[in-house]
Each structure stands twice: as structure tokens, then as C-alpha cells.
Amino acid sequence: MSNTLTHLDDQGRANMVDVSDKAPTRREASAQAWVQMRPETLQMIQANGHPKGDVFAVARIAGIQAAKRTHELIPLCHALLLSSIHVELKACEPDRVQITSTCRLTGQTGVELEALTAASVAALTIYDMCKAVDRAMVIGDIRLLSKQGGRSGHFQWEDAQ
């Protein structure tokens, strides 16, 4: 891991990292987010009893769309041609949803922000769809689980603790 902030130039100004000299490599990143809610809200989601439709399906699509548009949200991110985006939502009784996203590509820069954005926006979508019945939901524990590829090598959340 580097001890320098790569998005700052030698005079401390914000700067998009130049990756033009880097060789394309296979890269993958996984991220996670959690949404805690009332047990009744989770039961409604699981029973597909929401009047707006399948909450998990909409959140999954929102997460995929968000990963593809990360460069429009995070100012110094590169626009990437992602080869795979997977968003998984899992009900965890009695009152939580676990969201895990994985992004892949062969390219010159990593996909950590895309995976984090996918998990975050999927969580926000659950909140948006369910806020009419549960405004006390809590989105949290958003973190990078793993990344592979690139100069900095492999990262695994368990190794960071």
C-alpha cells in the first residue's frame, strides 16, 4: 500500500491519475453494505408484498446501473468498461439485508469505487422503496471486502483488521 495520495499532484492539487502507461490487467473488487429495518419491513420485502414491486430486483438493477455510472458521481474516477457487475441481496432474519457487489474488468485501473457505489446505491434504493413504511431504516457498514489485480495486488478485508 502506498503512503501517498495518488489523486494529488506534487503541489497538492486534485488530479486525475494518469493510467495511460499502465498495462491492462484483470481486476476485480467486492464490496458490502447493510440495511437494518423493522422485522415487519423485511417480512414485507420477502413476501413480495410491496406495492412498488420486487424490492430486491429494483435494488439489484439500481446497483448495476450505479456501478456503470460511478465516474459521473465521483469526480476523479475514470470511466470504465466493466465486463461484469453482480449485485446480491440477502435477507438476514430478523431485520437486515446484506448487499454484496462484485465488479470485474480487464483494464488499467481498479474497480473498487464501482463495487462500493453499487452496494451503496442498492442500499439507498431499498430505503427509497420502503421509506413509506419504515423511515427508521439504517444503512451502514459499507466497505470494500476484497480487490484483486493491479500494482497494489490483493486486498482482503480480514487481512486489514
Side-chain angles (χ1 to χ4, degrees), residues 69-78 113 117:
R69 300 182 74 147
T70 299
H71 69 282
E72 296 176 16
L73 301 169
I74 310 296
L76 300 177
C77 279
H78 293 85
L113 268 293
T117 300

Side-chain angles (χ1 to χ4, degrees), residues 3 12 14 24 29 36 41 45 49 60 67 72 77 85 95 103 106 109 126 142 148 155 157:
N3 287 334
Q36 186 168 7
T41 306
I45 291 170
R60 185 175 304 108
E72 296 176 16
C77 279
I85 305 165
D95 61 355
C103 295
T106 298
T109 189
I126 291 172
I142 300 169
Q148 298 175 30
F155 167 84
W157 173 257

Side-chain angles (χ1 to χ4, degrees), residues 142-158:
I142 300 169
R143 63 181 175 195
L144 182 68
L145 294 175
S146 66
K147 66 106 27 222
Q148 298 175 30
R151 192 175 349 162
S152 63
H154 186 74
F155 167 84
Q156 190 73 33
W157 173 257
E158 292 81 18

Side-chain angles (χ1 to χ4, degrees), residues 20-144:
S20 58
D21 291 334
K22 293 171 78 175
T25 59
R26 178 169 158 57
R27 296 159 185 267
E28 177 179 310
S30 294
Q32 174 181 282
W34 288 86
V35 182
Q36 186 168 7
M37 59 193 64
R38 294 187 350 232
E40 304 83 49
T41 306
L42 183 59
Q43 290 168 6
M44 178 192 66
I45 291 170
Q46 290 177 292
N48 280 329
H50 198 290
K52 291 183 180 180
D54 184 339
V55 173
F56 281 8
V58 175
R60 185 175 304 108
I61 296 293
I64 292 168
Q65 182 179 22
K68 295 187 325 186
R69 300 182 74 147
T70 299
H71 69 282
E72 296 176 16
L73 301 169
I74 310 296
L76 300 177
C77 279
H78 293 85
L80 301 179
L81 184 59
L82 296 167
S83 56
S84 174
I85 305 165
H86 182 76
V87 178
E88 181 180 326
L89 294 98
K90 178 182 168 189
C92 298
E93 300 286 345
D95 61 355
R96 298 192 326 152
V97 174
Q98 179 187 39
I99 303 160
T100 306
S101 63
T102 302
C103 295
R104 292 184 189 97
L105 62 63
T106 298
Q108 296 166 296
T109 189
V111 292
E112 296 96 303
L113 268 293
E114 287 72 15
L116 287 160
T117 300
S120 300
V121 170
L124 289 167
T125 301
I126 291 172
Y127 187 93
D128 180 51
M129 291 190 72
C130 298
K131 68 182 183 272
V133 297
D134 188 355
R135 292 198 186 271
M137 288 176 285
V138 175
I139 296 170
D141 201 17
I142 300 169
R143 63 181 175 195
L144 182 68

